[in-house]
Amino acid sequence: MTPRSLRDWVQVARRIVVLTGAGMSAESGVPTFRDAQTGLWSKFRPEQLATEQAFRADPGLVWDWYELRRQMIARVEPNAGHLALAAFAARHPGRLTVVTQNVDGLHQRAGSPDVLALHGNIFEDRWLDPARPCCLAQTPLPGRPPRCAACANLRRPGVVWFGEALPVQVLEQAEQAVRECDLMLVVGTSGVVYPAAGLARQAGGPVVIVNPQPSELDDVARAIVRSTAAHCLPVALEPQST
Ligand code: APR
């Protein structure tokens, strides 16, 4: 399917869900996780860095790695795909829901409302262990990662690590939106990480994949657009000509 023929489907759909993954931000300059050569995971194994166990074993290493990613993301801008999604939502309030696995906040910066961020936000921290009164008493906190000077509790990135549960309410809202949609676009995800990928299998309407490469979700797709997010979405979500 071409981006232009996807536009015909978009124009008749009443409720659209767009599930995005790392490929959504690739054209902004954020490396994906699993693409050969450029993928961050080609240099690091996920279980070395993105787990609670890894953080407890070497908090400085994991903190520094997230700090590097934060600095990189802070320097990039939403691309034409992010902007097209936000512009569509502004023209059609309530008709399009963005559900993202990305922690980079680029959908939000582009202006998409009510983004359902399944894997959290890289710019937010939280306590590793439940906060005690001593943790809350001190600002700013010393150290890298910042820690409570009294009990040594650590601040950790506010993202969902491998083996952790997704935020319950966000997942429930996403599942409901997916069930009720009559068109689901799956953009820039390899479809290997669950439960996020499982959403595409619960869609109330046809699923269209936007990805230049094959993904693990190709079997659920009614149609596939072999194109990139920043190329396809501005065409597919273009305002209807009068
Ligand atoms: N436009 C659309 N898709 C693209 C583009 C692009 N410009 N560039 C790459 N892609 C596709 C790749 O072909 C690949 O299928 O984006 C996908 C990226 O896949 P992953 O790197 O596996 O990213 P994602 O699916 O988001 O990973 C899921 O895994 O590492 C964890 O928590 C992390 O949220 C992440 C989750």
Side-chain angles (χ1 to χ4, degrees):
M1 174 186 256
T2 63
R4 204 157 271 278
S5 31
L6 175 56
R7 190 171 55 166
D8 297 338
W9 294 31
V10 165
Q11 284 178 356
V12 296
R14 281 162 301 145
R15 303 188 79 160
I16 304 169
V17 169
V18 184
L19 172 67
T20 67
M24 181 75 226
S25 300
E27 288 150 290
S28 291
V30 184
T32 63
F33 295 106
R34 292 178 185 80
D35 281 328
Q37 283 136 29
T38 57
L40 284 173
W41 290 155
S42 68
K43 297 185 196 94
F44 303 100
R45 287 153 55 86
E47 58 273 19
Q48 280 177 317
L49 296 171
T51 67
E52 182 182 326
Q53 205 188 5
F55 185 71
R56 287 188 188 276
D58 193 343
L61 172 80
V62 175
W63 184 263
D64 284 353
W65 184 64
Y66 277 95
E67 192 53 38
L68 210 73
R69 293 181 62 202
R70 283 176 177 156
Q71 287 170 8
M72 188 243 302
I73 291 165
R75 282 196 302 266
V76 305
E77 297 294 333
N79 64 50
H82 295 107
L83 296 174
L85 288 168
F88 186 93
R91 287 198 306 276
H92 306 280
R95 203 167 139 204
L96 184 147
T97 304
V98 173
V99 180
T100 189
Q101 300 168 82
N102 299 343
V103 296
D104 56 29
L106 289 178
H107 285 300
Q108 296 87 334
R109 275 170 57 193
S112 278
D114 306 323
V115 175
L116 297 173
L118 297 170
H119 294 165
N121 180 335
I122 197 168
F123 292 103
E124 284 168 11
D125 300 333
R126 58 188 171 83
W127 290 105
L128 178 60
D129 295 316
R132 305 169 185 98
C134 56
C135 305
L136 303 175
Q138 325 151 45
T139 46
L141 299 162
R144 229 184 61 239
R147 68 194 69 213
C148 171
C151 74
N153 195 5
L154 297 172
R155 298 291 288 175
R156 56 156 283 181
V159 301
V160 176
W161 280 331
F162 288 98
E164 293 184 329
L166 271 56
V168 175
Q169 219 192 334
V170 176
L171 182 60
E172 280 174 4
Q173 283 177 285
E175 284 170 337
Q176 189 181 349
V178 163
R179 275 196 307 270
E180 291 173 356
C181 79
D182 54 6
L183 177 64
M184 181 168 183
L185 309 186
V186 175
V187 183
T189 180
S190 56
V192 299
V193 173
Y194 282 75
L199 290 171
R201 301 186 183 279
Q202 301 168 36
V207 172
V208 178
I209 287 180
V210 178
N211 195 319
Q213 302 292 333
S215 80
E216 292 293 314
L217 292 171
D218 287 1
D219 63 304
V220 294
R222 183 76 60 86
I224 298 180
V225 185
R226 287 279 174 238
S227 172
T228 69
H231 177 254
C232 172
L233 294 177
V235 176
L237 302 175
E238 200 171 79
Q240 199 160 11
S241 45
T242 48

